[in-house]
Amino acid sequence: MLKNMINSLPEKPGCYQYFDANGTIIYVGKAKNLKRRVSSYFNKNHDSRKTNALVKQIKSLQYIVVNTEEDALLLENNLIKKYQPHYNVLLKDDKTYPSICIKNEKFPRIFKTRNIIKDGSKYFGPYSSNYTIDTILDLIHKFYPIRTCKYNFENVPRGTKYKVCLEYHIKNCGGPCEGLQSEEDYNRNIEEIEKIIKGNSQEICNRLLKEMQDLAEEYKFEEAAELKKKYDAIENYKSKSIITNTKMDDTDVFGYDENENSAYVNILRISNGCIVQGYTIEYKKNLDETKEELLALGIVELRERLGSKSKEIFIPFETEIELTNCNISIPERGDRKKLLDLAHQNVLQYKLDRLKQAEKLNPEQRTTRILKAIQDMLKLEKLPLHIECFDNSNIQGSDAVASCVVFRKAKPAKKEYRHYNIKTVDGPDDYASMQEIVRRRYTRLQNENSTLPDLIITDGGKGQMECVRKVIEDEMHLNIPIAGLVKDNKHRTSELLFGFPQRAIGLKANDELFKLLANIQDEAHRFAITFHRDKRSKTQIQSELDQINGIGAKTKTDLLKTLKSTKRIKESSFEDLEKIVGKSKANIIFEYFHPKKS
């Protein structure tokens, strides 16, 4: 039956709907040629598992023929929003943004709302920024006496039922309730306000400037000053809008970006050379939709949502969308290209904001994302959930030590940190020291049947990486990826090396991935240097006091606690030492530091 339906499909533009066994719409699509498009689902195997799953569930189909591809696109958008089929991209609209409403009533009120009521009122928006909408409303209510009361003036003679309120007395309202302001004068203000909201304020500014000049010539300076305040306020509001090109009028600019699961489309609306509105939507992907299809869907949705009638449209790449009486182009240079870049910048910012919001709700999502970035960048076989980093510390070969720090799920596992005293190396040989601790570390882990790391990082460049590779691969026959972190002359992390032969991996200093790797390297260095300082301090004390026969650890601790240093112990009198450790031990210590001359 389904095959017969497909064979009888017309070769015309239109929309098709797939139904499952329960009669539920599971997919809506559009096509230039219905027969060719629908047939393509059934005459080949698809790479996408989701597409194959969709095809298996299709039990029947319906179609609607339209005149043009544009009509098909509009119809597809409406059907997806109405039925929200399981396999279609879904518009993620979990937040209702505010709009400006000019109420359909006598002496219209103007206010911010999130509820769109189809009663003939005019709505401007939505605005994704509360700051923008509040700035416009503040300007309106400061310089235009618009009522805020909810009185109903229909079929009520003015001045008979209502009285002026405080808003009239502080000059925020013209008092239409008592007939103190004519409907004609009130509506003239509403017309001006509409122009300001739409971004068409230049005409108002020109008129205000002429009225100011006329009043000044008549020596009506106070009235001219009041108009100047309004003129300056409107000009100031215009200056906060991004000026693009005074010759550019009524243009829609679209930006696009995507990731594995979602697609983002942004619109910037241009009017009279200014960006008057910006808005971004997110689509949740379900099948292998192309970016061209998703951009086309976003263009239709955003123009419909914002009520745009612009004839000029800028897009970032070719798409098959065709809109009646619209010129669609891809700018490559000049102011138009800058606008396209700005739209893309807004998409990226929205994408980042959504990511941050999701990560606040689920912190592990951020960790997984960063580790996935490391995996992709280094082409690792698995996610580097377990990372170990090594560092050496010594002064001209003396008191040589090393450290191993462990990070699990991008967080330090401090209980698993390990210190190492270098046992088999004499002198300052960092490469041999690195090999010793790596050998000791992973021999022990193997003997204990402990898990090996997913990634080893050395604090150092090519030499350190190579000496670690010889131990891991040549001696122990292990398969663990090895990376190296190089520092600059200011001892700051500057470069990541990976592979054999080693190659530099490009990283930006403000990148989250770079910050994680730098943190791992700094932690390894801190842990090694702290251990080295402690050991060096003990060695210095030991060389002076532990040479004295009959003086144990407790006596040494008592002396240092009181006198603070070996130097002061040497300079102390017999009586001072006796007070701290008693006569017998004081005698031994004093004679050691002050031997009698024979």
Side-chain angles (χ1 to χ4, degrees):
M1 180 181 175
L2 189 60
K3 187 176 181 181
N4 293 335
M5 293 177 69
I6 295 169
N7 291 333
S8 63
L9 285 170
E11 296 188 14
K12 292 183 178 181
C15 277
Y16 54 92
Q17 304 164 53
Y18 292 147
F19 294 80
D20 63 12
N22 298 319
T24 304
I25 296 177
I26 56 175
Y27 188 75
V28 172
K30 68 177 186 312
K32 278 185 181 179
N33 185 312
L34 280 168
K35 186 172 185 177
R36 190 183 307 155
R37 177 62 176 153
V38 173
S39 298
S40 69
Y41 282 91
F42 300 93
N43 58 17
K44 64 178 181 180
N45 290 323
H46 299 275
D47 295 332
S48 169
R49 287 181 301 167
K50 287 186 177 179
T51 306
N52 288 324
L54 165 65
V55 173
K56 288 178 182 178
Q57 293 190 46
I58 299 171
K59 300 303 178 185
S60 64
L61 68 89
Q62 292 180 6
Y63 63 89
I64 302 170
V65 174
V66 294
N67 293 322
T68 65
E69 189 186 357
E70 177 186 354
D71 293 337
L73 185 60
L74 292 168
L75 178 59
E76 179 196 33
N77 186 53
N78 290 331
L79 290 173
I80 290 172
K81 286 198 292 184
K82 181 177 180 180
Y83 296 109
Q84 296 190 352
H86 177 72
Y87 285 98
N88 277 99
V89 291
L90 298 179
L91 183 62
K92 292 186 71 175
D93 200 13
D94 55 354
K95 183 176 181 181
T96 303
Y97 290 101
S99 298
I100 295 175
C101 174
I102 299 180
K103 195 69 178 169
N104 180 26
E105 60 189 0
K106 264 192 172 183
F107 300 97
R109 288 169 293 144
I110 299 177
F111 52 89
K112 178 170 68 172
T113 182
R114 296 178 188 270
N115 300 316
I116 308 299
I117 303 171
K118 295 183 179 180
D119 59 356
S121 300
K122 294 181 180 178
Y123 293 90
F124 301 89
Y127 292 86
S128 57
S129 166
N130 269 307
Y131 173 78
T132 303
I133 196 170
D134 290 341
T135 301
I136 296 171
L137 290 173
D138 286 345
L139 173 67
I140 290 168
H141 289 298
K142 186 174 182 180
F143 292 102
Y144 291 93
I146 302 300
R147 73 184 182 102
T148 56
C149 62
K150 295 183 180 180
Y151 294 153
N152 184 359
F153 292 127
E154 297 294 334
N155 303 320
V156 177
R158 286 186 293 153
T160 60
K161 185 175 180 180
Y162 306 119
K163 296 294 181 183
V164 294
C165 62
L166 179 63
E167 291 293 307
Y168 170 78
H169 294 293
I170 61 176
K171 299 183 180 180
N172 285 343
C173 177
C177 54
E178 287 194 19
L180 301 175
Q181 184 180 24
S182 69
E183 191 169 355
E184 181 184 0
D185 180 51
Y186 192 98
N187 287 337
R188 192 161 44 246
N189 285 339
I190 295 295
E191 288 175 10
E192 285 193 12
I193 289 167
E194 275 195 50
K195 289 179 180 178
I196 291 172
I197 295 172
K198 291 178 178 177
N200 303 329
S201 54
Q202 190 57 48
E203 181 185 332
I204 300 170
C205 288
N206 293 339
R207 180 178 60 77
L208 288 173
L209 191 60
K210 187 177 184 308
E211 288 181 15
M212 277 192 295
Q213 292 168 345
D214 293 343
L215 288 169
E217 287 176 3
E218 297 172 11
Y219 301 103
K220 297 179 180 179
F221 298 116
E222 289 185 5
E223 294 176 39
E226 287 300 314
L227 284 182
K228 187 175 186 304
K229 288 180 183 178
K230 184 186 288 187
Y231 173 84
D232 289 342
I234 296 173
E235 283 290 342
N236 184 50
Y237 168 68
K238 280 172 59 183
S239 69
K240 289 179 180 177
S241 300
I242 299 175
I243 305 299
T244 59
N245 186 324
T246 53
K247 296 180 181 179
M248 196 180 297
D249 191 22
D250 292 339
T251 303
D252 292 342
V253 185
F254 289 91
Y256 179 89
D257 201 68
E258 64 182 1
N259 56 30
E260 188 178 346
N261 301 314
S262 299
Y264 307 86
V265 185
N266 170 267
I267 183 175
L268 296 179
R269 294 191 62 199
I270 315 298
S271 180
N272 290 326
C274 294
I275 296 175
V276 295
Q277 202 168 7
Y279 197 78
T280 305
I281 56 175
E282 177 184 358
Y283 285 106
K284 189 74 175 174
K285 295 180 183 178
N286 271 331
L287 292 176
D288 288 338
E289 300 90 357
T290 66
K291 65 179 184 179
E292 290 79 12
E293 291 173 333
L294 292 167
L295 176 60
L297 204 59
I299 290 171
V300 171
E301 170 63 28
L302 286 167
R303 281 173 62 87
E304 179 185 327
R305 185 177 292 202
L306 273 58
S308 174
K309 303 295 181 185
S310 300
K311 305 297 182 186
E312 190 77 31
I313 297 175
F314 300 156
I315 58 176
F317 47 81
E318 287 284 355
T319 180
E320 294 182 356
I321 186 172
E322 293 180 6
L323 300 177
T324 306
N325 298 323
C326 285
N327 177 38
I328 301 176
S329 60
I330 305 174
E332 295 183 355
R333 62 182 67 86
D335 289 342
R336 298 182 173 194
K337 180 63 169 67
K338 289 178 182 176
L339 276 174
L340 206 58
D341 293 340
L342 186 61
H344 186 242
Q345 184 179 329
N346 275 271
V347 166
L348 294 178
Q349 185 59 49
Y350 180 88
K351 182 179 168 185
L352 180 63
D353 292 343
R354 296 287 292 187
L355 184 65
K356 287 180 178 177
Q357 290 168 15
E359 288 175 353
K360 281 183 180 179
L361 296 174
N362 182 10
E364 282 196 7
Q365 184 175 325
R366 175 179 176 274
T367 300
T368 304
R369 176 174 56 81
I370 294 174
L371 294 178
K372 185 70 169 65
I374 296 176
Q375 182 184 13
D376 294 342
M377 182 177 61
L378 303 182
K379 295 181 173 55
L380 304 178
E381 292 182 2
K382 57 182 179 178
L383 210 62
L385 297 171
H386 178 184
I387 300 174
E388 296 190 354
C389 182
F390 294 91
D391 189 20
N392 297 328
S393 182
N394 66 77
I395 295 179
Q396 295 180 344
S398 65
D399 299 315
V401 298
S403 71
C404 170
V405 298
V406 180
F407 274 63
R408 292 189 181 274
K409 294 184 179 180
K411 294 180 180 178
K414 294 192 175 183
K415 290 183 179 180
E416 298 183 49
Y417 285 13
R418 293 294 180 266
H419 285 138
Y420 294 91
N421 288 306
I422 303 301
K423 298 178 178 178
T424 63
V425 180
D426 293 325
D429 190 337
D430 280 351
Y431 295 163
S433 298
M434 183 70 74
Q435 286 184 317
E436 178 189 326
I437 59 170
V438 169
R439 188 181 296 112
R440 287 166 58 186
R441 169 70 175 169
Y442 297 119
T443 298
R444 177 159 187 166
L445 288 185
Q446 283 185 310
N447 292 337
E448 295 175 350
N449 292 322
S450 300
T451 57
L452 297 173
D454 303 313
L455 177 65
I456 295 172
I457 297 177
T458 68
D459 182 5
K462 296 180 179 179
Q464 280 85 350
M465 287 179 66
E466 177 59 25
C467 73
V468 171
R469 187 199 66 77
K470 287 179 180 178
V471 174
I472 295 295
E473 295 182 6
D474 297 347
E475 291 183 26
M476 305 186 72
H477 307 293
L478 298 175
N479 182 24
I480 306 175
I482 301 164
L485 287 170
V486 183
K487 292 186 176 180
D488 58 19
N489 54 8
K490 293 184 179 179
H491 210 66
R492 295 177 302 194
T493 306
S494 63
E495 193 173 48
L496 173 67
L497 300 178
F498 186 74
F500 297 95
Q502 296 89 342
R503 68 183 189 281
I505 307 295
L507 286 175
K508 295 181 180 177
N510 59 350
D511 191 281
E512 286 181 308
L513 181 54
F514 181 88
K515 290 177 181 177
L516 170 63
L517 295 173
N519 183 33
I520 293 173
Q521 184 179 33
D522 291 343
E523 185 71 350
H525 180 71
R526 178 197 67 79
F527 200 54
I529 203 78
T530 302
F531 182 46
H532 182 253
R533 284 172 183 161
D534 291 344
K535 185 179 179 183
R536 194 171 71 241
S537 176
K538 289 176 181 177
T539 302
Q540 288 172 347
I541 296 169
Q542 184 181 34
S543 63
E544 296 289 337
L545 296 180
D546 287 11
Q547 303 300 318
I548 308 174
N549 292 328
I551 300 299
K554 185 180 183 306
T555 304
K556 182 172 66 174
T557 301
D558 291 341
L559 287 168
L560 290 172
K561 187 182 290 185
T562 305
L563 299 174
K564 308 301 182 186
S565 70
T566 308
K567 182 182 177 184
R568 289 186 178 180
I569 295 172
K570 287 181 182 180
E571 295 172 350
S572 297
S573 65
F574 176 81
E575 289 75 15
D576 291 335
L577 294 172
E578 185 180 12
K579 290 177 183 177
I580 301 169
V581 296
K583 184 175 180 180
S584 175
K585 289 182 179 178
N587 190 51
I588 295 171
I589 296 167
F590 191 80
E591 286 185 359
Y592 177 84
F593 287 119
H594 305 90
K596 295 178 181 179
K597 294 179 181 179
S598 55

